[in-house]
Amino acid sequence: MRSVSLGFGSAALSAALVLGCGGSGGSGTEPATASAPGATASAGIGAGNDADLAGAQGKTEELADATSLDALGKRLSGGSLKGVARLNLAARGLGPGLGKLLGGSSAVSGLAALDVSDNDLGSEGVRALAGSSHLGGLRQLDLGGNDIADSGVDVLSTSSGLPGLKVLNLSGNGIGAAGARTLALARLLDGVRSLDLSMNPITADGAGALAGSSHTTNLHSLFLLGCDIGPAGATALARSSGLGALKVLALSGNGVGDEGARALADGSGLGALETLDLSANGIGDAGAQALAASSHLGAVRSLEVFGNDFGEKGASALRKRFGSRLKL
C-alpha cells in the first residue's frame, strides 16, 4: 500500500494511469515506484507545500532507525523531536499502535507536519491521532495508504483535535462515496487548502458532495486522480459554487470523456484554476476543442492532457489556445 509523493504534474503518473490504474481506488493500491499503477500525486510532506508551513521553525526528522513501536517509543521519550517541525514516518507498517503511540505522546506537540502514510493505521489508529491533545499545531497530515475507509473519515470529521490543518492527504484509503459525503460536511475542511483523495472510489456521488460543500471555500488544490467520478462528477465540480478559490484540480484517470471536458470548459465555477490535469480521461477531438474554446479557463497556466483519445485536430486546437501551457 505504497503512497508515492510525486508532486503535481508528473508525466510518470500520467503514464501509470494510462496503463490502467485510474479508477481502481479500493483498499490502497500504491506500490513503491512512481511508474507503477497506483502512484498518486500527494499533498504530503515535501510535495511543494512550503507556503502552508510558513513561519514553522525547526527541522525535518525521519527517525530512520525507529522501525518498531518500541524503538520509536524510546526515541520519542528520549527527546529526539526537540526542535523538529516535520516528522516523516512513512511506510513503516507499524499498524494502529503507531497512532496510539503518537497520539499519546507530548513529544509531538511541536510538530507542524506529520507523514504516517502506508502504516496500516486503519480507523483505530486514525481515531487515536484525531483524538490527541498534542497535535493541535499540525498544518500538514499525510494519511495516504492506511486503509482507513469510510469509518476513518467519520472519525476525522468529528474530531476537534486538528484545528489548524491546511494540507490533508487521504489517498489510497478505500474511501467511497459515503466517506466523501461525510468529509464534505465536516468543519475540518474549513481551513484546508490542499486535499488529496486520489485512488479512492468516491464516484460521481462523492465528487458531487465535495462540489456542493460549504466547507471548501479555502481549498486551493484538489487531487482526485483515479476516483471513478466520470462525466457526472466532472460536471458537478465545474458547476460548483464553493470551489471558486481552487487553483489546482487533478482529475487524471477518471473517464470524464468529452462530456466531462465540455462541462469543465463551460463551467464558471472554476475560473481561478491555474493547473488542470485531465490526463488519461478518454477525451476525444470534441472535448479537446471545447477546452480550447472555453471562456472560463483564462487563468490556466498548465493544462495536462497526456494519454487521451483526440487526434491532431484536437491537439492543434489546444496548442493554438494554450501554447506552451499545454502538456501533451
Side-chain angles (χ1 to χ4, degrees):
M1 295 184 299
R2 184 78 170 137
S3 178
V4 183
S5 295
L6 299 176
F8 186 80
S10 168
L13 171 60
S14 298
L17 288 167
V18 172
L19 289 172
C21 71
S24 62
S27 57
T29 55
E30 294 81 352
T33 58
S35 59
T40 68
S42 171
I45 298 169
N49 296 296
D50 290 342
D52 294 306
L53 284 174
Q57 302 297 316
K59 61 182 180 179
T60 298
E61 179 61 71
E62 295 188 3
L63 302 180
D65 59 335
T67 56
S68 69
L69 290 177
D70 286 343
L72 178 59
K74 291 177 182 178
R75 292 297 302 272
L76 294 179
S77 62
S80 294
L81 296 188
K82 185 176 181 181
V84 172
R86 306 164 181 83
L87 177 61
N88 185 350
L89 297 174
R92 308 289 170 94
L94 296 177
L98 176 61
K100 296 176 182 179
L101 177 59
L102 293 175
S105 175
S106 60
V108 301
S109 59
L111 293 180
L114 175 63
D115 184 347
V116 287
S117 59
D118 305 299
N119 270 289
D120 300 320
L121 290 177
S123 59
E124 183 182 351
V126 170
R127 186 182 302 278
L129 287 176
S132 174
S133 60
H134 305 298
L135 292 171
L138 275 190
R139 301 183 193 179
Q140 293 188 22
L141 177 60
D142 190 336
L143 291 171
N146 274 295
D147 288 331
I148 73 171
D150 291 348
S151 57
V153 176
D154 291 341
V155 170
L156 281 173
S157 297
T158 56
S159 170
S160 59
L162 300 167
L165 208 58
K166 302 295 184 186
V167 177
L168 177 60
N169 180 10
L170 296 174
S171 62
N173 268 298
I175 298 168
R181 287 194 294 268
T182 298
L183 188 61
L185 295 172
R187 295 184 63 184
L188 174 73
L189 289 186
D190 284 342
V192 171
R193 296 176 184 174
S194 178
L195 175 64
D196 190 346
L197 282 168
S198 298
M199 307 312 295
N200 287 298
I202 69 169
T203 72
D205 288 343
L210 292 171
S213 174
S214 61
H215 300 286
T216 57
T217 55
N218 290 315
L219 201 61
H220 290 174
S221 301
L222 178 59
F223 300 90
L224 298 178
L225 296 86
C227 286
D228 287 332
I229 71 169
T235 299
L237 293 171
R239 296 176 178 174
S240 172
S241 60
L243 294 173
L246 205 62
K247 295 182 178 181
V248 175
L249 178 60
L251 298 178
S252 290
N254 274 292
V256 307
D258 286 343
E259 182 182 347
R262 281 193 292 263
L264 290 164
D266 295 339
S268 59
L270 300 174
L273 275 186
E274 296 179 0
T275 302
L276 176 60
D277 183 358
L278 293 175
S279 300
N281 267 297
I283 298 171
D285 283 328
Q289 289 177 304
L291 291 169
S294 173
S295 61
H296 302 293
L297 297 178
V300 169
R301 298 179 181 177
S302 178
L303 175 63
E304 301 198 5
V305 288
F306 301 104
N308 279 293
D309 296 338
F310 54 81
E312 183 54 34
K313 186 175 181 180
S316 178
L318 288 170
R319 289 192 193 99
K320 184 175 180 180
R321 167 67 189 278
F322 294 100
S324 62
R325 295 173 292 164
L326 181 67
K327 312 301 180 186
L328 180 60

